[in-house]
Every structure is written in C-alpha cells, then in structure tokens.
Amino acid sequence: MAEWLCSGLQSRLCRFDSDPSLHYAVFSSSSQFAILAKNLGNYSVLCSLRFAGVPAKPNLFWGTIWGTLYPNQYGSEYVVLTELTVKSARPRAKAYKLFDHRGLYLLVAPTGGRLWRFKYRFDGREKLISLGTYPEVPLKLARDRRDTARRQVAEKVDPSALRLAGKLERHNNLRQVAEEWLEQLRQTLHADTIARIQNRLEDWVYDAVGQRPAAEIKAADLLAVLRRIEARGRHETAHRTRADLSRLLRYAVATGRAERDVTVDLRGALVPVKTEHFAALVDPVEVGTLLRAIDGYQGQPVTGLALKLLPYVFVRPGELRTAQWGEFLLDGEAPEWRMPAEKTKMRRAHLVPLSRQAVALLQQLHMHTGSRKDGLLFPTLRDPNVPMSENTLNKALDKLGFGDRQTAHGFRSIASTLLNEAGWHPDLIELQLAHKERNETRAAYNRALRIAERRAMMQAWADALDDLKAGRSIRPLATARDRNSERLLEPPRTGGAP
C-alpha cells in the first residue's frame, strides 16, 4: 500500500516537472505522508526531509524518497547516474531500470544489454524513445540526446514522429529505392544483367544523389552525373545509365516515392553514340579461317574447348559460362542441353539439341571438369564453383588475332546470318537463338518447339561448320535444307516444352 501511495503521488506530481519545491510541499503536507511513515516505520527519517533542503530536480527528490523508503530494493536504481554506475551495472533475472533524471534511464536486460531510454509526455500522452546502447553511447552522449529531445518537445515537436519521418526519408532516398527495384528485377533478369546495372549505379550515381529523396531529384542533378561520365569519354555508359535511371524513377513513381520520371527532360541532352553490333564474321571463307585458328588454340584446354563448342551451340556466352553438367543429356539418340529458365536472358527454359560434334567436345571436356554432376562446365582455375570470367573468351579470340573482328557473342550472328542465307525457316532459327517473339500468336505456335526440325538444323549446321573448317563450300547445308523443306514448312503436329 505504501509503495502504491508514493508511486501514485510521484506520477501525478511529475507532470509538472518544473518546480521541485512544489513536489516537496505537496508531499510533506499530504495526509499520505503520515500514512507512509506509519506503514514504513521511517517517520523520523521522512520528517528529516523537511529540513534537509529541497533537491534541485524533482527526480532527485523522488530518488531520495525511494532510496529512503526502500534502501535495499531501490537504492541503486533511483540515483543520479555516473559513468561508473552504468559501467558496473550487471544483468539480473528480470530487466530493471537505472534512472538518471529528466526522463532518462538505462534499461538493463537479463541478456546483459544496456539500453538508453527517454520517457516524455507529448499532447498529454506518455511516450518512449531509444537513445542507443551502452557503451557505444556513453552517459554524456545519452544526456545530450535527451536534452535534444527535450528541446524538441518544448518546441512542440514530437521526437518519435521526427525520428519516424527520418526513417521514411531514408527509405525513400534514391539508393534505397534502387536496391528495392534491383531485388525485384532479380526475378526476371539474368544475374549478369543485374550486376551491370548495379555497378553503373554504384560507380556513378550513388555518391552524387544516392542519399537524396527520389522525389527531390531534378533533371539537372542527373545531367551533372551523366556529364561526369561523358567527361571520361564513356558516352555509351552515359546513355545506359540514363536508361537505368529512367526505369528506376518509373518504379519510384509507381511505388509513391516520386512524382515523375525526370530523365524524360534529358532526351537529346547527351552526346549521341553510334550503335555498334557485336563484331562477327559473316563471310563463309573467313568463318572457316576462324574455326581453324580456334582448333589451333594453345591456351588453357578448358578455354579452348569452350571456344570450339560455342559455334556449334551458338548460345549467349553467359549461358555457356554458367552451364552445369546436370543440364546435359549426352547418351541416347537425342542428346540435348536443357537450360533452366533462371539462366536464360528471356527467363524461359531453352532446349539446345546437340550435334555429334558438340557431344564429342563435351565428352572431352568431361574429363577436365565433369567430376561432379552439379559442377560447372567452365569454372575458373582457382575455384571450381565460380564460372570463368565473361572476358575470358573474348581475350582468347583477341589472342588468336580476331579481337577486332569477332566476339564470343558474335557466333550467334554467324549462325543467324548463314542459316538464313541457306534458307532455313526463320522461325526455327529464332527459336534456337531464344529470341523474344514479338507476335504473341506466332510465339504460341513456335512454342510447340519443332524439336525434330531443330535437331536436323543443328546437325546440318555442325556439318557445315566442319566443311567450312576444311575449306569446303557450304553447299551441304543447303542440301540438308532441301531434304527437310517440306517438313520444315508444316505446322507442328504435337505440343511440347520449349
């Protein structure tokens, strides 16, 4: 009862929190004073408070009261804190508080954590905010933060609301929005594509405007970023970065973090660049010369096998680099490579029928890297779990003397050009190249796969490459086309998976 009476009196009086003499006068004149003295048997001690002088702060006064009434239980909690007191605080079975003054206290958790808290009243309601943890936030800094919060309260500003607004602002800054956007893109784009976008943002954008709210960024701010890229002579990078920012800001608009895509105002502001396609040889004689050079490659055996295999399958280099043995079926009459959707650019499962030549190369490669079913076909030399660099094949082609005329990606252009010139059905070629079909009806038709036709085309293509490598003409490819011409033009009779 005594504790309840005293605690209730303290709670009511602390609302004034300005005049400690008021606390003393009310307490000492209260009828509860005598009740407390009688119940606690400390009448003489309590009476001595009348003559001991009024403490300078209300919380100090109440610390004296509680320390007098319960010296064993509350003596250590209700005192003005010192750095030594805080440092020596030890955990107990239950959490407890060490009070300082002006609403500041240290919460000591059973796990040993020491947490600064500030309790205050705003608009008639009691509120609580965290000021950090000890020892990262020492006593002096905790008091400074408390004083800052008290000044905010005096200015009719709620520290909790102000802190929440700061968190929202950080959540709405351009970098935070970008990280959220990139995470969403990971569901649809290849990891290499995501990495390139992220690298451009980190290299050029974040330092300049990453911490600013997306809604406050102006076209002029972004133009300054892009001009800095152009000043380094990287004009194509500047255009790609502008495109990245446009997509990012459209996402910010859609999620309510920006009003509009301000990159629209930058159209025509950048130095134009001439679009250059991946370098590729398209003359059959030159292709034969390239294939003979690849056969004579003297570098790492695994790199050489990658160069030899790529013309036969003409997939994207990134898809070849990340291929795993578990995706390949090399035995039987219909060997194939089933590429999972998450590894393809279009995020759609892709099937590559394997010619006899491709299977022979894969069997050679299996002796080098095929020890694990889930292992990579083309790992780095240092780590079997990391695919070879995206620059490895281009560097190898440069070493062979074709660096300015042929890239790893360019083998797709070779296949597309020569197969079309030979008269193979465009639908088969586009399907095998795993290009996105713009016509949805046509796409649905082609997803019936036409596997048998594609197998015939891929074997004919492999035979043609061998002829070119041997210096012969490409006529056998046309002959194979002629043998299958009627069947190639027929609609698929059965469905299947792509």
Side-chain angles (χ1 to χ4, degrees):
M1 177 181 176
E3 183 176 354
W4 177 79
L5 288 170
C6 196
S7 178
L9 193 61
Q10 178 187 2
S11 177
R12 292 193 297 274
L13 288 172
C14 279
R15 294 180 184 177
F16 297 99
D17 197 18
S18 58
D19 187 358
S21 62
L22 174 63
H23 291 238
Y24 177 75
V26 172
F27 178 75
S28 60
S29 63
S30 172
S31 60
Q32 294 171 352
F33 181 88
I35 298 174
L36 287 169
K38 182 178 180 180
N39 276 276
L40 297 169
N42 279 330
Y43 184 80
S44 59
V45 176
L46 291 173
C47 286
S48 68
L49 290 172
R50 299 172 186 264
F51 310 104
V54 179
K57 304 293 181 182
N59 282 351
L60 299 185
F61 170 77
W62 286 105
T64 306
I65 294 296
W66 284 105
T68 301
L69 298 179
Y70 294 97
N72 294 327
Q73 183 177 355
Y74 293 106
S76 62
E77 282 85 344
Y78 286 86
V79 294
V80 179
L81 296 179
T82 65
E83 190 69 28
L84 180 61
T85 304
V86 175
K87 186 177 181 180
S88 60
R90 295 292 178 263
R92 301 177 185 174
K94 293 184 179 180
Y96 67 98
K97 304 172 184 177
L98 293 176
F99 286 90
D100 194 51
H101 54 90
R102 293 187 177 181
L104 177 66
Y105 66 86
L106 184 75
L107 177 65
V108 184
T111 56
R114 289 168 286 186
L115 316 171
W116 292 112
R117 298 288 187 264
F118 172 59
K119 185 164 61 174
Y120 65 100
R121 298 189 69 83
F122 192 86
D123 284 343
R125 298 176 59 188
E126 186 176 279
K127 294 194 172 186
L128 185 71
I129 61 170
S130 170
L131 300 181
T133 61
Y134 184 88
E136 288 78 10
V137 178
L139 176 60
K140 184 179 184 304
L141 180 55
R143 286 174 174 167
D144 290 343
R145 292 182 177 180
R146 174 208 58 198
D147 293 341
T148 299
R150 284 174 60 85
R151 284 193 293 271
Q152 292 168 352
V153 173
E155 295 169 0
K156 306 301 182 184
V157 176
D158 185 357
S160 295
L162 191 64
R163 181 172 294 186
L164 178 60
K167 288 181 179 179
L168 289 175
E169 182 175 328
R170 289 191 296 273
H171 179 67
N172 292 338
N173 70 36
L174 190 69
R175 181 166 191 156
Q176 190 72 32
V177 176
E179 290 172 354
E180 184 181 312
W181 171 62
L182 289 172
E183 189 61 35
Q184 186 182 73
L185 290 183
R186 284 185 175 89
Q187 302 174 22
T188 55
L189 296 182
H190 194 279
D192 289 346
T193 303
I194 299 294
R196 285 192 287 271
I197 296 173
Q198 187 166 6
N199 288 340
R200 285 193 290 268
L201 293 175
E202 290 178 349
D203 292 345
W204 305 105
V205 178
Y206 288 160
D207 286 346
V209 293
Q211 298 306 315
R212 295 178 56 183
E216 296 180 5
I217 295 175
K218 308 298 182 186
D221 301 324
L222 299 183
L223 181 60
V225 172
L226 299 174
R227 286 279 188 253
R228 187 161 57 93
I229 303 175
E230 286 186 322
R232 300 284 293 273
R234 303 178 64 174
H235 298 288
E236 184 176 351
T237 300
H239 281 267
R240 290 182 181 274
T241 304
R242 192 203 72 83
D244 295 337
L245 288 168
S246 178
R247 296 172 65 192
L248 169 57
L249 288 173
R250 289 201 301 272
Y251 176 80
V253 171
T255 56
R257 265 81 68 84
E259 294 297 325
R260 59 185 293 268
D261 172 15
V262 297
T263 64
V264 173
D265 301 332
L266 299 179
R267 289 176 181 170
L270 300 180
V271 176
V273 293
K274 182 180 179 181
T275 302
E276 295 183 1
H277 297 288
F278 290 102
L281 303 173
V282 292
D283 180 80
V285 175
E286 291 183 329
V287 172
T289 302
L290 170 64
L291 295 174
R292 289 191 293 273
I294 290 175
D295 265 4
Y297 180 73
Q298 298 297 314
Q300 291 293 333
V302 172
T303 303
L305 286 168
L307 282 176
K308 292 176 183 178
L309 179 63
L310 192 53
Y312 289 109
V313 293
F314 51 87
V315 297
R316 296 176 178 87
E319 295 166 346
L320 185 73
R321 291 188 305 107
T322 59
Q324 295 174 281
W325 285 109
E327 300 163 9
F328 288 81
L329 177 63
L330 302 181
D331 300 325
E333 297 181 358
E336 59 192 22
W337 173 11
R338 287 190 170 272
M339 199 181 302
E342 62 270 16
K343 288 189 177 182
T344 67
K345 181 179 180 180
M346 296 296 112
R347 283 297 185 263
R348 190 171 59 227
H350 181 53
L351 187 145
V352 182
L354 298 173
S355 62
R356 294 187 303 273
Q357 294 88 332
V359 170
L361 288 170
L362 287 166
Q363 289 171 341
Q364 291 181 48
L365 180 64
H366 194 271
M367 293 186 290
H368 294 277
T369 64
S371 59
R372 290 175 11 201
K373 184 176 180 179
D374 62 343
L376 292 165
L377 272 69
F378 303 104
T380 62
L381 293 175
R382 296 182 179 180
D383 190 342
N385 298 311
V386 177
M388 69 165 55
S389 165
E390 60 182 330
N391 296 320
T392 299
L393 296 181
N394 287 335
K395 288 181 179 178
L397 289 168
D398 185 54
K399 186 177 180 180
L400 291 172
F402 292 87
D404 58 341
R405 293 183 292 160
Q406 179 69 34
T407 64
H409 198 282
F411 285 106
R412 293 169 60 79
S413 297
I414 291 176
S416 177
T417 301
L418 297 186
L419 284 170
N420 274 291
E421 287 180 355
W424 288 91
H425 199 292
D427 285 357
L428 290 181
I429 300 169
E430 291 300 293
L431 188 57
Q432 197 54 56
L433 287 167
H435 283 163
K436 184 176 181 180
E437 177 61 68
R438 294 182 179 179
N439 185 304
E440 293 298 326
T441 303
R442 190 185 187 98
Y445 172 82
N446 282 337
R447 272 197 285 273
L449 277 203
R450 311 172 78 171
I451 293 296
E453 299 159 278
R454 287 163 62 189
R455 289 192 192 282
M457 183 181 72
M458 293 298 281
Q459 186 58 58
W461 170 245
D463 294 339
L465 289 178
D466 287 353
D467 286 337
L468 291 175
K469 185 164 54 175
R472 295 189 291 268
S473 70
I474 201 170
R475 234 176 283 172
L477 182 58
T479 302
R481 182 275 320 275
D482 293 338
R483 287 197 303 268
N484 294 281
S485 58
E486 293 184 5
R487 183 161 52 85
L488 289 176
L489 296 175
E490 291 179 357
R493 297 177 181 176
T494 58

